[in-house]
Amino acid sequence: MARVSLDTLLRRSERNMGNGMNPIVKQTALEVIRRAYKEGINVQISQGMRTYAEQNRLYAQGRTAPGSIVTNAQGGQSNHNFGLAVDFFLITWDGTKATWTVNDNWRRVAAIAKSLGFEWGGDWRSFKDYPHLEMTGGLSTAQLRAGSRPSLTDRTGTSTPLPSNNGNSSSPASRGTELVKRVQRWANQYKEEAGFRALDVDGLNGPLTMDALLRICQLFGKTAIDGLWGPRTKAAVPEQSISNHQPGWTRLIQATLVCLGYNLSIDGIYGTNTRDMVRAYQRNQGISVDGIAGPETFEEFFKTA
Ligand SMILES: [Zn+2]
């Protein structure tokens, strides 16, 4: 049985966390998944951000609505409402079935999370919440409700590559942050047409950003927008080169390379710098090196591992 890929776990978790997460909490949660994966433990995040309305719906469960009670917190009383908490669970080797048994692996994940600055709900004395991890920077929920926000420390280490569809990175991730924010702002102008929820402009090049770029590729290629790389999308990608290029496609290539760790500006001009970055990418990926970004290069960008 093949093991579920790390990228799949990161992608699902990022989606489940939703928009509005504190960027350090989000990044640290993804780092917990990466470190556990290296130790042979598959972990996934089931929940992150909850709005007050979502929290109130959850609170109603087992009280005024069917089901059993799952929380004692109403809207504004949970650190999930401020993007500071996540819930995790373990998943089988092939990634198809969730497991909720609090065993040694579960406790190991909690230990990894605590080493990165999370507080674990399994350590709470009154009500043990084993899936729950949070970072509040010492603030109470009353202070958070009043609008205070913690200044958290990123303990994941800048040498750790940020998640992306393809793990290769030619420059330190920390240099990418401001550029990735520009990518996210650029991508967000297409959110309605390309059918994705507005990206957080947090400078983290995660799977949601790559998903948005793939959808923009399908929008530009006038093919079905489903966020899945396949033969139809590949056939819709034109070649871009120094002698023959279009600004939109060129910006998409530049944006994608930025998210894969390359350092270039998103100016829509396919000049020698963009050509050289495309060449470097092609060399790193082991595909033919011609400095022309077409279907083969896009396939490397967006095919799933
Ligand atoms: Zn929780």
Side-chain angles (χ1 to χ4, degrees), residues 31 44 66 133 147 170 180 185 193 232 251 264 303:
E31 181 66 13
Q44 213 177 291
L133 300 170
S170 70
V180 172
R185 277 187 217 108
E193 286 171 283
R232 268 193 310 184
R251 283 202 174 86
L264 70 170
K303 75 175 183 202

Side-chain angles (χ1 to χ4, degrees), residues 35 52 57 66 80 105 114 154 156 195 209 227 239 244 248 259 261 274 279 293:
R35 293 196 184 184
Y52 281 27
R57 261 198 303 281
H80 284 283
N105 280 350
K114 284 156 74 171
D154 184 350
T156 58
T209 304
E239 289 191 342
N244 186 7
C259 285
T274 299
R279 275 193 182 150

